[in-house]
Structures are given as structure tokens and as C-alpha cells.
Amino acid sequence: MFTKLARKIKLDGLAKAVQETLDKYNDEVVEKMKETVDEISKEAGKITKQNAPVNKGDYKKNIKVKTAYESLVEKKRVVYVANGKYRLSHLLEKGHALVNGGRTKAHPHFKYGDDYVKQNLVKKFKKKLK
């Protein structure tokens, strides 16, 4: 991670040197965290799209991933359905009542992307830090 760890420091400059080192480390950790969030969310989007029902028009084509929020130390990405097709998401994911009675079969697809994130985000982040 660090290329220059060994250097001579006077005692009165020790606090400043330690703080600089911690700041560099913090910047690297945040950068790797954001990279991991990007990679995992992209993969979660692919998994969600793969598990989406095929015969629902262009619903599957409109599954996208975007950055919902980003600051200096945080990044949030979301898998969503664009172009007004989002209205079908809950109905497809959970199933729904039919006009003439009965229910449709549920097609859980966001669940698979969510499970992937929960299982792999921390693992991949730890691996990047090593």
C-alpha cells in the first residue's frame, strides 16, 4: 500500500507524520470501498436482469444500476427499473391478485441481486484491502 514508510522524523513532528500516514491509509480504504461497491452493484444488476421474467415486454431491458449518493467517504448504488416499467417490479417480485380471483405466480428477481450483495460485498472488500 505505502511505498515510503521509512523516514526520519523529529519527535515534535511525530504527531503530524502519524496523522499524514493515517490520512493516506484512509483515502486508500475509501477508494477501494467505492471500487468494491461499483463492482458488486454492477454484478447484482446482471444477476437481477438474468432472473427477471422474460415475457414481460421490455421490462428486463430497463433494469439498470446507478449511483444514488456519493460523498467523500460513502457511495450508494441502486438497481432499479427505468422508463416507467418500475411499476411492475413489486407485482412481479411478490405476485398479485387477479381480477377474476386467484393470484399470479411471484417472479423474485431483485431478491437474487440483493442476496448476492449481502453475501459478497464484505468478502470482496476485505480481499481488496489485503
Side-chain angles (χ1 to χ4, degrees), residues 65-116:
V65 180
K66 72 175 180 179
T67 301
Y69 173 79
E70 186 170 4
S71 70
L72 293 174
V73 295
E74 187 177 10
K75 186 168 194 172
K76 295 179 183 179
R77 293 187 43 101
V78 64
V79 178
Y80 71 104
V81 183
N83 299 328
K85 303 298 181 187
Y86 63 88
R87 295 179 187 100
L88 293 173
S89 297
H90 182 77
L91 299 173
L92 292 172
E93 190 79 15
K94 306 290 183 186
H96 57 90
L98 296 170
V99 174
N100 297 328
R103 292 194 62 82
T104 63
K105 182 181 175 216
H107 297 280
H109 49 291
F110 278 96
K111 174 185 173 294
Y112 296 112
D114 188 47
D115 290 345
Y116 177 80

Side-chain angles (χ1 to χ4, degrees), residues 12-72:
D12 58 344
L14 182 61
K16 183 179 178 186
V18 169
Q19 187 61 46
E20 287 174 1
T21 303
L22 289 174
D23 288 343
K24 283 182 186 177
Y25 179 72
N26 183 52
D27 291 345
E28 288 183 24
V29 168
V30 168
E31 181 183 324
K32 290 190 185 304
M33 180 267 307
K34 287 182 178 184
E35 288 174 8
T36 305
V37 167
D38 286 341
E39 292 168 8
I40 291 289
S41 61
K42 191 180 291 185
E43 197 60 37
K46 287 179 186 175
I47 290 168
T48 301
K49 195 177 274 194
Q50 288 170 353
N51 289 294
V54 177
N55 60 347
K56 297 298 175 196
D58 56 352
Y59 175 82
K60 193 172 192 172
K61 294 176 192 171
N62 285 295
I63 295 175
K64 313 262 186 229
V65 180
K66 72 175 180 179
T67 301
Y69 173 79
E70 186 170 4
S71 70
L72 293 174

